[in-house]
Amino acid sequence: MNVLLVGAGGREHALAWALSASPLLTKLFCAPGNPGIAEVAQCVALDPANHELIIEYCRDERIDLVVIGPEAPLVAGLGDALGESGIRYFGPTKAAAKLEGSKGFTKDLCRKANIPTAAYGRFMDRDAAMTYLTAQPLPVVVKADGLAAGKGVVIATTRQEAEAAVDACLSGAFGAAGAEVVIEEFLEGEEASFFALCDGVTALPLASAQDHKRVGDGDTGPNTGGMGAYSPAPIMTPQMTNRVMREIINPTVKAMADRGAPFKGVLFAGLMITDAGPKLIEYNVRFGDPETQVLMMRLKSDLLAALLATADGVLSNFDLRWSDDTALTIVMAANGYPGTPVKGTEIKGLDAAKQTPGVEIFHAGTRRDGARLLADGGRVLNVTARGRTVAEARDAAYAAIARIDWPGGFYRKDIGWRALERSKT
Ligand code: AMP
């Protein structure tokens, strides 16, 4: 089979790495890809926003499956365009991608289907939003309704902060994404990421993961796209997994099918595990980044077969096997991230680092300049390791980092601390 993967980040490198090991694969293409992906796939300079060009390429190269990595092309309807041209793809339609594309849509769906989530109100009108705010306890969470590249969420600890967040949203700080604002109850507990493949009717749980969103050690400083992750998440016991499937994932799949927008692809639930049980914080309609990097390190089954079964709607006959090992990934970011990252600094020592037993290094934001490898984004490398325990995986990942010579980058020194503490008790 010929497969075209769409995307250019560390998530796509991890997916490409897993897909390239499939016995079903003839040739893997990636649009646009990156230098790491180029080691396992043929990278093609196609813009995912240009649906016609992607369709033409699929026809020319006889692509049997398109795997869409990031949310933007999904929300823009790349899947629908492929489907209308008779090209098989992995990912939701535009209508189903609303689960990520509109927080208000998801909140309303939860309310109707009785799915546990934070209490909320959604507003386009400033006065109505402010009136609602005055009755809410602090802290309170203010979110832009649409896609805001992870930047549209404010956890306000004062009324002024909450009001400023509402104003920022409604006055266009996030463009069209902020035309509507969602105000939410603050949930207390431990966060976990949970993934399930869905074929429109059946949902199959994948492994769980936890990530570190803050830029600094001790989970301090501004939010980022994720500075590291590990799988499994110790808090996601088999009982908790069953509960999440029963109370959150399965009712969502059913509600989407009932609305005539069946969800196909991977559903990524951001959860808060509260004293009252699991609650949905938000959905993403694609694989997590950097969570995918750790999931792929633990997946024993053929990823391509699983994605095909999802696209073909035959997941009910499917099963997945996972390694009992722990996988852990550390994000190396360019100095300046999550503000303006410094681009173009040289990275050396990757070949030596890759020799560390149990380690894979996924490229997230790099480019080649002749033989030199340069940083080309905020999050640049994902140094990922597998071990029998979280401590073993962490030690291997940090041993690999010690071999990387990149003064232009930084990383957190405490990835996995929560899981490590749990493993000691
Ligand atoms: P989101 O973009 O919706 O995932 O929000 C980003 C982060 O904000 C989440 O990962 C949580 O850490 C935090 N967050 C969002 N909503 C809530 C909430 N209702 N209660 C507590 N924390 C939240």
Side-chain angles (χ1 to χ4, degrees):
M1 300 196 70
N2 292 327
V3 176
L4 172 66
L5 174 64
V6 173
R11 163 183 52 211
E12 285 77 25
H13 189 181
L15 292 172
W17 175 75
L19 288 170
S20 69
S22 171
L24 299 174
L25 185 75
T26 309
K27 188 160 182 188
L28 180 61
F29 300 85
C30 187
N34 68 35
I37 295 173
E39 290 169 15
V40 291
Q42 180 179 326
C43 292
V44 278
L46 288 175
D47 176 5
N50 190 335
H51 298 176
E52 280 90 61
L53 214 62
I54 300 252
I55 289 165
E56 201 182 300
Y57 190 82
C58 289
R59 292 206 170 117
D60 288 350
E61 297 293 342
R62 299 180 180 280
I63 298 292
D64 299 291
L65 179 72
V66 180
V67 179
I68 305 170
E71 63 275 20
L74 291 166
V75 172
L78 176 58
D80 306 61
L82 290 165
E84 283 156 20
S85 304
I87 298 164
R88 180 162 50 180
Y89 65 97
F90 174 87
T93 58
K94 185 175 179 170
K98 260 191 123 171
L99 282 174
E100 176 164 358
S102 166
K103 293 186 195 295
F105 169 85
T106 300
K107 298 297 285 188
D108 286 355
L109 181 133
C110 286
R111 184 181 275 166
K112 260 202 169 148
N114 222 357
I115 294 167
T117 187
Y120 72 103
R122 48 188 300 200
F123 307 93
M124 295 182 85
D125 176 66
R126 182 181 184 275
D127 291 345
M130 295 304 178
T131 307
Y132 181 84
L133 257 188
T134 47
Q136 303 311 309
L138 293 169
V140 66
V141 185
V142 179
K143 300 183 176 182
D145 177 74
L147 291 187
K151 298 199 173 80
V153 176
V154 171
I155 297 172
T157 48
T158 65
R159 301 230 165 261
Q160 290 84 331
E161 220 183 319
E163 287 173 11
V166 168
D167 274 333
C169 238
L170 294 180
S171 65
F174 304 108
E180 181 170 328
V181 68
V182 175
I183 301 176
E184 262 182 35
E185 165 200 12
F186 177 77
L187 296 174
E188 261 180 275
E190 185 171 332
E191 279 186 67
S193 302
F194 186 80
F195 299 85
L197 292 177
C198 308
D199 68 2
V201 178
T202 302
L204 180 67
L206 301 177
S208 62
Q210 279 178 309
D211 74 343
H212 295 267
K213 286 209 170 65
R214 303 297 195 96
V215 74
D217 286 359
D219 293 328
T220 54
N223 255 330
T224 70
M227 293 301 289
Y230 48 92
S231 173
I235 199 166
M236 291 305 295
T237 58
Q239 293 81 340
M240 187 60 76
T241 299
N242 287 340
R243 220 175 141 181
V244 169
M245 289 301 289
R246 199 174 58 238
E247 297 178 14
I248 298 179
I249 305 290
N250 289 334
T252 301
V253 171
K254 181 167 185 313
M256 293 301 285
D258 290 347
R259 281 169 187 240
F263 186 90
K264 277 189 173 191
V266 60
L267 198 52
F268 163 2
L271 302 174
M272 188 70 83
I273 311 301
T274 71
D275 289 344
K279 294 197 179 186
L280 180 73
I281 298 176
E282 63 155 2
Y283 274 131
N284 296 297
V285 298
R286 34 80 191 173
F287 280 105
D289 190 345
E291 292 93 335
T292 305
Q293 289 80 319
V294 285
L295 294 191
M296 291 305 114
M297 291 289 272
R298 294 186 54 224
L299 180 63
K300 283 184 171 170
S301 306
D302 180 356
L303 176 66
L304 180 49
L307 301 188
L308 281 169
T310 307
D312 288 343
V314 293
L315 267 186
S316 56
N317 305 320
F318 209 82
D319 203 8
L320 285 170
R321 289 180 313 121
W322 298 90
S323 160
D324 290 333
D325 285 352
T326 292
L328 180 144
T329 189
I330 301 162
V331 171
M332 295 187 82
N335 291 340
Y337 181 76
T340 308
V342 180
K343 291 191 181 179
T345 53
E346 185 172 0
I347 303 161
K348 292 183 194 162
L350 275 202
D351 288 338
K354 274 195 257 182
Q355 303 307 317
T356 316
V359 166
E360 291 293 328
I361 299 179
F362 299 118
H363 291 227
T366 64
R367 75 180 165 88
R368 286 235 176 257
D369 176 26
R372 298 191 316 149
L373 184 70
L374 306 180
D376 194 35
R379 294 185 296 165
V380 173
L381 295 170
N382 309 137
V383 181
T384 313
R386 230 175 72 177
R388 275 169 304 173
T389 62
V390 61
E392 205 176 286
R394 180 211 45 189
D395 290 348
Y398 281 110
I401 283 190
R403 294 174 164 179
I404 297 175
D405 174 12
W406 181 34
F410 72 96
Y411 55 92
R412 276 182 58 167
K413 315 286 188 296
D414 64 344
I415 300 302
W417 68 264
R418 203 188 285 273
L420 278 163
E421 265 178 25
R422 251 176 213 268
S423 67
K424 285 184 205 143
T425 55

